[in-house]
Amino acid sequence: MLQRGKREQAAGKLLQKVPELTSLNLEIRETRSNGLANDTQYIRRVVVEHAHALFEMPCSYSSCDNGGYDVTREILNALASRTARFEGECACRGSCGSEFCSRVLRYVATATYRTNAEVGA
């Protein structure tokens, strides 16, 4: 938790990076790399007024050690270009015993932005 807090502080606030952002939802699906069973799906509704500019998610596989996904760069790049809908994927960086974790996170993001006239208001 302490390390996460330090990373959030270093990342800064999301609205400082993308001031025209008004909403952001992430549809997340986590699967094994072979696409077989054990899917985890959820929607993450980002509270942009309070969110940090850090998009890290833990691996949900209980046997995964030090796993997780960091899609910060990809999401911030899409938001900076005011993309309304974008998607991506990321392999887990953890391990299960002596092997790499085989889980993959796929996301579909939808974002809304203020118009240029609203940003200046």
Side-chain angles (χ1 to χ4, degrees):
M1 289 291 281
L2 184 61
Q3 292 296 323
R4 167 88 186 184
K6 287 180 180 180
R7 289 191 305 273
E8 285 177 347
Q9 184 136 13
K13 292 291 191 172
L14 182 58
L15 284 180
Q16 291 174 329
K17 308 274 184 186
V18 191
E20 64 276 5
L21 183 67
T22 58
S23 71
L24 176 61
N25 292 320
L26 302 170
E27 295 176 38
I28 296 170
R29 182 175 181 205
E30 188 182 8
T31 63
R32 289 183 170 200
S33 61
N34 59 14
L36 297 177
N38 297 332
D39 282 7
T40 302
Q41 293 181 302
Y42 58 96
I43 295 176
R44 180 176 171 191
R45 299 185 198 290
V46 178
V47 181
V48 297
E49 294 82 9
H50 304 288
H52 288 92
L54 183 68
F55 295 92
E56 293 180 341
M57 280 139 293
C59 179
S60 66
Y61 186 49
S62 61
S63 296
C64 182
D65 192 29
N66 294 318
Y69 312 93
D70 186 354
V71 291
T72 301
R73 181 179 300 137
E74 295 84 354
I75 289 177
L76 290 180
N77 285 342
L79 294 175
S81 64
R82 297 179 59 103
T83 306
R85 183 184 185 281
F86 53 95
E87 53 191 86
E89 68 178 49
C90 182
C92 179
R93 61 181 179 251
S95 60
C96 299
S98 62
E99 297 184 14
F100 289 112
C101 182
S102 64
R103 296 186 67 80
V104 176
L105 178 130
R106 292 177 177 86
Y107 65 90
V108 176
T110 53
T112 58
Y113 306 88
R114 287 187 209 76
T115 64
N116 288 334
E118 292 173 320
V119 172

